[in-house]
PDB file of all heavy atoms in Angstrom:
ATOM      1  N   LYS A 231      16.810  95.510  67.320  1.00 98.00           N
ATOM      2  CA  LYS A 231      16.235  96.458  66.561  1.00 98.00           C
ATOM      3  C   LYS A 231      15.690  95.877  65.316  1.00 98.00           C
ATOM      4  O   LYS A 231      16.250  95.021  64.608  1.00 98.00           O
ATOM      5  CB  LYS A 231      17.276  97.540  66.125  1.00 98.00           C
ATOM      6  CG  LYS A 231      17.998  98.047  67.304  1.00 98.00           C
ATOM      7  CD  LYS A 231      19.149  99.096  66.888  1.00 98.00           C
ATOM      8  CE  LYS A 231      18.582 100.223  66.095  1.00 98.00           C
ATOM      9  NZ  LYS A 231      19.205 101.412  66.400  1.00 98.00           N
ATOM     10  N   PRO A 232      14.346  96.328  64.821  1.00 98.00           N
ATOM     11  CA  PRO A 232      13.906  95.735  63.708  1.00 98.00           C
ATOM     12  C   PRO A 232      14.692  95.738  62.486  1.00 98.00           C
ATOM     13  O   PRO A 232      15.323  96.861  62.094  1.00 98.00           O
ATOM     14  CB  PRO A 232      12.532  96.546  63.524  1.00 98.00           C
ATOM     15  CG  PRO A 232      12.250  97.160  64.765  1.00 98.00           C
ATOM     16  CD  PRO A 232      13.546  97.259  65.341  1.00 98.00           C
ATOM     17  N   ILE A 233      14.734  94.630  61.686  1.00 98.00           N
ATOM     18  CA  ILE A 233      15.593  94.568  60.492  1.00 98.00           C
ATOM     19  C   ILE A 233      15.100  95.666  59.447  1.00 98.00           C
ATOM     20  O   ILE A 233      15.749  95.951  58.538  1.00 98.00           O
ATOM     21  CB  ILE A 233      15.639  93.156  59.997  1.00 98.00           C
ATOM     22  CG1 ILE A 233      16.785  92.999  58.930  1.00 98.00           C
ATOM     23  CG2 ILE A 233      14.257  92.662  59.393  1.00 98.00           C
ATOM     24  CD1 ILE A 233      18.147  92.884  59.532  1.00 98.00           C
ATOM     25  N   ALA A 234      13.886  96.086  59.515  1.00 98.00           N
ATOM     26  CA  ALA A 234      13.342  97.173  58.727  1.00 98.00           C
ATOM     27  C   ALA A 234      14.153  98.425  59.020  1.00 98.00           C
ATOM     28  O   ALA A 234      14.063  99.351  58.148  1.00 98.00           O
ATOM     29  CB  ALA A 234      11.855  97.331  58.925  1.00 98.00           C
ATOM     30  N   GLU A 235      14.750  98.553  60.184  1.00 98.00           N
ATOM     31  CA  GLU A 235      15.339  99.789  60.539  1.00 98.00           C
ATOM     32  C   GLU A 235      16.947  99.784  60.261  1.00 98.00           C
ATOM     33  O   GLU A 235      17.582 100.809  59.829  1.00 98.00           O
ATOM     34  CB  GLU A 235      15.297 100.119  62.026  1.00 98.00           C
ATOM     35  CG  GLU A 235      13.863 100.469  62.369  1.00 98.00           C
ATOM     36  CD  GLU A 235      13.751 100.745  63.888  1.00 98.00           C
ATOM     37  OE1 GLU A 235      14.706 101.041  64.678  1.00 98.00           O
ATOM     38  OE2 GLU A 235      12.580 100.945  64.370  1.00 98.00           O
ATOM     39  N   THR A 236      17.573  98.605  60.727  1.00 98.00           N
ATOM     40  CA  THR A 236      19.012  98.634  60.806  1.00 98.00           C
ATOM     41  C   THR A 236      19.805  98.911  59.475  1.00 98.00           C
ATOM     42  O   THR A 236      20.884  99.512  59.592  1.00 98.00           O
ATOM     43  CB  THR A 236      19.463  97.344  61.497  1.00 98.00           C
ATOM     44  OG1 THR A 236      18.812  96.268  60.900  1.00 98.00           O
ATOM     45  CG2 THR A 236      19.187  97.364  62.940  1.00 98.00           C
ATOM     46  N   PRO A 237      19.379  98.470  58.366  1.00 98.00           N
ATOM     47  CA  PRO A 237      20.159  98.779  57.078  1.00 98.00           C
ATOM     48  C   PRO A 237      20.438 100.206  56.959  1.00 98.00           C
ATOM     49  O   PRO A 237      21.477 100.763  56.607  1.00 98.00           O
ATOM     50  CB  PRO A 237      19.453  98.093  56.045  1.00 98.00           C
ATOM     51  CG  PRO A 237      18.573  97.035  56.593  1.00 98.00           C
ATOM     52  CD  PRO A 237      18.202  97.604  57.941  1.00 98.00           C
ATOM     53  N   GLU A 238      19.451 101.036  57.174  1.00 97.00           N
ATOM     54  CA  GLU A 238      19.428 102.452  56.829  1.00 97.00           C
ATOM     55  C   GLU A 238      19.926 103.252  58.087  1.00 97.00           C
ATOM     56  O   GLU A 238      20.888 104.052  58.096  1.00 97.00           O
ATOM     57  CB  GLU A 238      18.144 102.995  56.272  1.00 97.00           C
ATOM     58  CG  GLU A 238      18.196 104.386  55.680  1.00 97.00           C
ATOM     59  CD  GLU A 238      16.863 104.904  55.378  1.00 97.00           C
ATOM     60  OE1 GLU A 238      16.073 104.101  54.948  1.00 97.00           O
ATOM     61  OE2 GLU A 238      16.644 106.151  55.537  1.00 97.00           O
ATOM     62  N   ALA A 239      19.135 103.017  59.126  1.00 97.00           N
ATOM     63  CA  ALA A 239      19.281 103.869  60.402  1.00 97.00           C
ATOM     64  C   ALA A 239      20.602 103.552  61.123  1.00 97.00           C
ATOM     65  O   ALA A 239      21.095 104.443  61.823  1.00 97.00           O
ATOM     66  CB  ALA A 239      18.174 103.727  61.373  1.00 97.00           C
TER      67      ALA A 239
END
Side-chain angles (χ1 to χ4, degrees):
K231 304 176 64 144
I233 196 75
E235 295 182 9
T236 44
E238 191 188 327

